[in-house]
Amino acid sequence: MLHSSAGRAGYYGIEAPFIPAVQAFLALIMMQAGYTQATREDGDSQGWWLVGFGAVLLGIALAYLHATRRGRFRAWSRELGALDLRGDEAVLDVGCARGAVTTLVAARVPDGKVIGVDLWARSGVLAGARRGADDQIARNNAQAEGVADRVQFLPGDIDDLASEGNQFDLVVSGGGIGRLGSPATRAAAVDEAVRVTKPGGRILIADVRNTRRYAERLTELGCEDVSSRSAGPEAWYGGPWLPLVFVSARKPAA
């Protein structure tokens, strides 16, 4: 059940699952070693400090799990709700992975269409053969969430979209841009997101890193109402030093 996401019917896994796994493993070792040291006959009371450090590390791992299994979905639901969508928008999700954000936004546009684009080059290590490749998992998730009739998943480079400009009312990204390997490719992906957005349309990007640069790039491209905001404690990926941050903007009307 670790890979289930509370409140969702689909299978979205854990983002970078090795991070909380390593943290929890080290935490348990520290707590065990500290307890053994503190409770033996010639024990050292400083072992309790080791137990305490291990407990803190375990708390960080649990916070990460909460963010990736529950917090990020709540945060995205709030942000999408604040957009006050009509319900007939054309939406693009760049770097959609298994469709976590794609399906959330699709539920809000019953008369619209949502396209998810990704290369799906890195299937999750823990996905397993029984789940299949990530692109098929994304399609299965759309079916499970009841939005398959308005969702389409396409392979493609998110820093070089195979789409004409001014096509979408809303472009979103739930971390896909951040997975690109260099500042230049991330900037190109932001450029592409703006290019394919209709005049007056909106861009909404979430990430735990690089968000200041996204905001700067959107401003450089002439976007309006550029803003950044943290999703809050429920979407801290371990602690306040790694929060999920949303960057939003509006493409100028023609």
Side-chain angles (χ1 to χ4, degrees):
M1 293 299 293
L2 277 177
H3 289 288
S4 66
S5 300
R8 307 300 310 280
Y11 169 86
Y12 302 102
I14 299 171
E15 297 173 282
F18 63 90
I19 294 177
V22 170
Q23 290 172 336
F25 177 72
L26 293 176
L28 293 174
I29 289 177
M30 291 170 65
M31 293 170 70
Q32 176 62 42
Y35 181 79
T36 300
Q37 180 179 339
T39 56
R40 65 191 182 192
E41 290 186 7
D42 59 342
D44 184 349
S45 61
Q46 290 186 354
W48 293 115
W49 285 100
L50 193 58
V51 172
F53 287 135
V56 170
L57 186 57
L58 182 60
I60 290 172
L62 293 174
Y64 187 106
L65 287 173
H66 175 80
T68 192
R69 294 185 60 234
R70 183 185 296 267
R72 61 171 170 151
F73 297 108
R74 287 181 172 178
W76 267 103
S77 292
R78 287 195 302 271
E79 290 292 328
L80 293 172
L83 293 176
D84 195 22
L85 298 172
R86 299 183 309 272
D88 61 353
E89 287 86 355
V91 184
L92 177 68
D93 183 4
V94 293
C96 62
R98 295 175 182 172
V101 177
T102 320
T103 53
L104 276 176
V105 70
R108 293 180 177 271
V109 290
D111 299 316
K113 183 175 183 179
V114 184
I115 296 176
V117 176
D118 208 319
L119 281 178
W120 295 284
R122 292 184 287 178
S123 296
V125 173
L126 300 182
R130 67 186 180 88
R131 295 286 184 176
D134 278 355
D135 57 341
Q136 185 58 54
I137 293 173
R139 295 183 180 91
N140 293 343
N141 287 340
Q143 189 70 41
E145 303 287 1
V147 296
D149 61 322
R150 72 205 75 145
V151 171
Q152 183 179 11
F153 292 103
L154 300 174
D157 292 305
I158 65 175
D159 57 334
D160 186 16
L161 295 169
S163 175
E164 296 182 3
N166 307 322
Q167 294 294 307
F168 298 95
D169 300 288
L170 173 65
V171 175
V172 298
S173 178
I177 294 177
R179 291 194 295 270
L180 295 175
S182 71
T185 54
R186 290 193 292 270
V190 174
D191 293 356
E192 285 291 272
V194 174
R195 181 182 69 81
V196 301
T197 302
K198 293 179 180 179
R202 289 170 287 187
I203 300 103
L204 182 60
I205 302 170
D207 208 339
V208 295
R209 290 181 287 271
N210 310 306
T211 51
R212 180 177 299 180
R213 182 53 190 152
Y214 300 156
E216 291 172 349
R217 187 58 184 162
L218 289 167
T219 300
E220 292 167 359
L221 293 171
C223 290
E224 302 170 344
D225 303 325
V226 179
S227 65
S228 301
R229 56 205 165 274
S230 171
E234 70 176 354
W236 285 350
Y237 280 71
W241 52 85
L242 202 61
L244 183 67
V245 174
F246 286 91
V247 179
S248 62
R250 184 184 297 273
K251 186 172 179 177

